[in-house]
Amino acid sequence: MHGTEGELSRAAERLRRASRVTVATGAGVSAASGVPTFRGAGGLWNDFRPEELATPEAFARDPRLVWEWYEWRRRRIAGCAPNRAHEVIAAWSRRYPRFTLVTQNVDGLHERAGTRNVVRFHGSIWELACWSGCPPGERWRDERELPEPPPRCVRCGGLARPGVVWFGEPIEAAVLRASLAALECDVFLVAGTSGVVYPAAGLADEARRRGAFTIEVNPEVTEATPRFDLALQGRAEDLFDRLEKELSSGSRLSSSQ
Ligand code: OAD
């Protein structure tokens, strides 16, 4: 079992000495909030096929079906609240002089926890974009229940799409730029992702190449685990809590010296 006291202390020591911290999260960080993950036990991709629901081709074929799935997820997420992992990450975002959160999650729970400097790598389920010909990149927020999917573009009245990144679509240039800038850090901590979807899965390797100390938080061993400097095996909501306690006890010690 990883996530032992010794490994936790090593991670906390790195975090204590760091001034530039980047955290990268995936679906596992929202699991304790009740948001289903994509892979593994209870994962969405066990019951649904990504190529029928999360590609531009699927949307072109059947926008109503795709929207019904997104609207089902939106309603489910609307009933979820941030957990301890979101809270600790939000606290770090206020504490570190340079902090970035790069999240693959589209649920908005990091923002609801008050996290600063969030880079939404795969977009947001609460945003919509025009599918019908308005300039790309423009999005609008709409958290209301969608009465009759598919919704319409607020500008041209054409078809609107979810403001998320689908399989086969590129990451927006500004998002990629912000993510690359966040690779220049002292600690790069990845939590709750299976590490199989690229380019997100390549960020930790690149950060490590540039000199960051890389840490993984996950209850399972992933494909990426061997490539991290340190792997903490456990749930994000537990490990972030323990790290935060360790960090605050450490700072009390050093301030009393
Ligand atoms: P996955 O569902 O692939 O992986 C979730 C990971 O979270 C797994 O490695 C689990 O072991 C781990 N996990 C489960 N419970 C956890 C907990 N309590 N604490 C920490 N970790 C836990 O989710 P992602 O890696 O985020 O893309 O998926 C990547 C992308 O694939 C998503 O952004 C989405 C999906 O298809 C698009 O929609 C483009």
Side-chain angles (χ1 to χ4, degrees):
M1 159 89 182
H2 298 265
T4 58
E5 287 305 324
E7 279 158 334
L8 201 87
S9 304
R10 263 185 82 200
E13 188 48 40
R14 289 284 179 166
L15 284 162
R16 197 172 292 130
R17 293 206 311 255
S19 61
R20 301 169 307 163
V21 171
T22 299
V23 175
T25 59
V29 163
S30 294
S33 297
V35 181
T37 59
F38 294 94
R39 299 168 188 82
L44 292 170
W45 296 149
N46 297 330
D47 296 326
F48 302 100
R49 288 158 60 87
E51 56 275 27
E52 285 173 11
L53 296 167
T55 65
E57 293 77 16
F59 191 76
R61 219 167 24 237
D62 196 343
R64 193 191 156 96
L65 173 78
V66 170
W67 261 116
E68 279 170 354
W69 189 67
Y70 276 92
E71 183 55 11
W72 168 72
R73 287 177 59 202
R74 281 160 57 99
R75 300 297 33 113
R76 172 133 191 194
I77 293 165
C80 296
N83 65 56
R84 184 67 185 139
H86 297 107
E87 282 170 18
V88 171
I89 293 166
W92 292 1
S93 79
R94 293 187 289 267
R95 191 179 308 151
Y96 284 104
R98 253 184 73 184
F99 180 93
T100 308
L101 175 77
V102 181
T103 186
Q104 293 175 83
N105 299 345
V106 297
D107 57 33
L109 291 180
H110 284 297
E111 292 89 330
R112 277 178 54 195
T115 311
R116 290 185 187 163
N117 208 15
V118 180
V119 177
R120 289 195 281 257
F121 207 76
H122 288 161
S124 168
I125 203 161
W126 303 114
E127 288 182 354
L128 280 67
C130 182
W131 170 263
S132 303
C134 288
E138 280 184 37
R139 300 207 175 128
W140 66 95
R141 216 175 160 76
D142 193 343
E143 299 187 14
R144 293 170 302 178
E145 207 163 317
L146 301 172
E148 260 179 73
R152 298 276 144 194
C153 173
V154 288
R155 280 172 171 250
C156 73
L159 203 53
R161 60 164 286 173
V164 301
V165 177
W166 282 325
F167 287 101
E169 291 189 311
I171 305 300
E172 217 173 85
V175 167
L176 213 47
R177 262 199 308 278
S179 307
L180 293 179
L183 300 178
E184 308 288 343
C185 60
D186 305 312
V187 174
F188 192 97
L189 191 158
V190 176
T193 173
S194 53
V196 294
V197 174
Y198 282 80
L203 294 175
D205 297 325
E206 187 52 31
R208 191 168 188 233
R209 259 194 298 276
R210 297 183 188 193
F213 186 79
T214 58
I215 303 172
E216 182 187 50
V217 166
N218 200 303
E220 309 282 336
V221 173
T222 70
E223 280 183 30
T225 303
R227 307 200 301 271
F228 282 88
D229 290 313
L230 185 62
L232 299 178
Q233 202 173 350
R235 296 194 186 108
E237 60 277 20
D238 299 332
L239 284 171
F240 276 100
D241 184 58
R242 287 169 64 194
L243 279 170
E244 181 65 348
K245 288 196 172 111
E246 185 103 359
L247 282 172
S248 41
S249 69
S251 58
R252 267 206 301 279
L253 277 180
S254 54
S255 60
S256 64
Q257 279 169 356

